[in-house]
Amino acid sequence: MAVALFSTSLPLSAKVPSIHDDQKEKQWISMENGPWDFAPDWYYYFLHKNYSGAEMYWKWAGFKSGYRVRFKEEKSNVKRIMPVRVTAEETQRQKLSEVEKERAHVEELYKEELLREADRTVDLTYATYKDEFNRMQDCISDGLLYCLHKSDGKLQYQVDEISRVNAVLCADIAYIHKTGPGYELENAKRQQAYEDAKKRMGDLVSRTARLCAVAATHY
């Protein structure tokens, strides 16, 4: 009989529900990150008013009107306790966020550099100026040749000077047009350089034309 009673008591004891302490739960929630509330309220008002921030107030509720107790966190002389695991998780999230921002920034810089590299590899602007450069070079060559023949070589010095300046200009244009290692230049900068070269070449065309006028007038 004793064995039978013992065997029947085992499942009964296993089914006994665990006791839930609402008062302790409120205290822990308040000290962590939940609503600032404690129980029993009058107990905390009379014995733990300093750290609980308990205050008494009158509440109108008909026949149930009377004094009540409420808790104000700003009146408490203690601070909440952030659990270590929550702090660690938040720190880890912040670190991951910073790393992701840095990675995105580096990736953006890398993409920009790739675009610049591709832009420097091919001269996309020379074709726009090529025909104009060739036309002006023909004018300079034909004009200088005319001056030499017309003056019977007497304008050799002036022709040589214009030829020298023109050779330097043509070398500058050839350098701008080069691509590959050591000649990296974005097309926007190439375009500006070609514009400057075009202006300089136009000045040489004007000098050649004036020299041709001198040859035609004096020889």
Side-chain angles (χ1 to χ4, degrees):
M1 184 178 294
V3 172
L5 290 174
F6 179 75
S7 61
T8 57
S9 65
L10 287 178
L12 291 175
S13 61
K15 295 180 181 179
V16 175
S18 59
I19 299 175
H20 182 75
D21 195 328
D22 293 332
Q23 297 176 4
K24 288 184 178 180
E25 181 182 11
K26 282 188 174 183
Q27 184 177 20
W28 281 108
I29 290 176
S30 298
M31 297 307 292
E32 288 186 354
N33 55 4
W36 192 258
D37 190 20
F38 300 90
D41 48 9
W42 287 106
Y43 167 79
Y44 279 92
Y45 174 77
F46 287 112
L47 299 180
H48 301 284
K49 184 185 297 185
N50 289 336
Y51 87 76
S52 67
E55 66 174 12
M56 184 174 61
Y57 71 101
W58 179 266
K59 181 178 181 180
W60 291 99
F63 292 107
K64 295 184 179 180
S65 299
Y67 287 101
R68 305 284 194 276
V69 175
R70 60 188 174 192
F71 300 92
K72 295 293 186 68
E73 184 179 356
E74 58 271 17
K75 291 187 177 182
S76 173
N77 60 4
V78 298
K79 303 297 181 183
R80 291 179 184 266
I81 302 173
M82 179 67 70
V84 176
R85 60 181 174 81
V86 176
T87 305
E89 290 175 359
E90 181 61 27
T91 302
Q92 185 66 16
R93 281 195 294 269
Q94 292 179 1
K95 288 182 178 179
L96 291 176
S97 178
E98 291 297 326
V99 169
E100 180 60 25
K101 289 180 181 178
E102 185 66 22
R103 185 200 64 78
H105 179 64
V106 172
E107 183 178 0
E108 187 66 24
L109 292 178
Y110 177 69
K111 290 180 179 178
E112 290 180 3
E113 183 57 31
L114 285 180
L115 291 175
R116 291 195 188 98
E117 183 66 26
D119 187 54
R120 292 191 294 261
T121 303
V122 181
D123 186 354
L124 301 176
T125 58
Y126 180 72
T128 306
Y129 297 90
K130 181 179 178 181
D131 293 340
E132 185 66 14
F133 286 157
N134 290 336
R135 184 191 65 79
M136 287 192 289
Q137 283 298 307
D138 290 340
C139 291
I140 293 172
S141 299
D142 294 343
L144 293 179
L145 186 61
Y146 170 81
C147 292
L148 283 176
H149 286 298
K150 186 68 174 176
S151 67
D152 196 19
K154 293 181 175 63
L155 294 177
Q156 183 70 48
Y157 175 80
Q158 291 82 352
V159 170
D160 290 344
E161 180 62 20
I162 294 177
S163 297
R164 183 188 64 81
V165 176
N166 187 54
V168 174
L169 176 58
C170 290
D172 291 343
I173 294 175
Y175 182 83
I176 297 169
H177 183 52
K178 283 185 177 180
T179 56
Y183 301 99
E184 294 86 358
L185 190 67
E186 289 85 355
N187 281 288
K189 294 181 180 179
R190 280 198 176 99
Q191 183 176 7
Q192 183 59 49
Y194 286 142
E195 284 290 336
D196 296 340
K198 180 181 176 181
K199 183 178 181 301
R200 290 164 59 191
M201 195 175 292
D203 294 338
L204 287 179
V205 171
S206 298
R207 287 179 61 181
T208 303
R210 288 195 295 269
L211 189 61
C212 288
V214 171
T217 304
H218 295 84
Y219 301 98

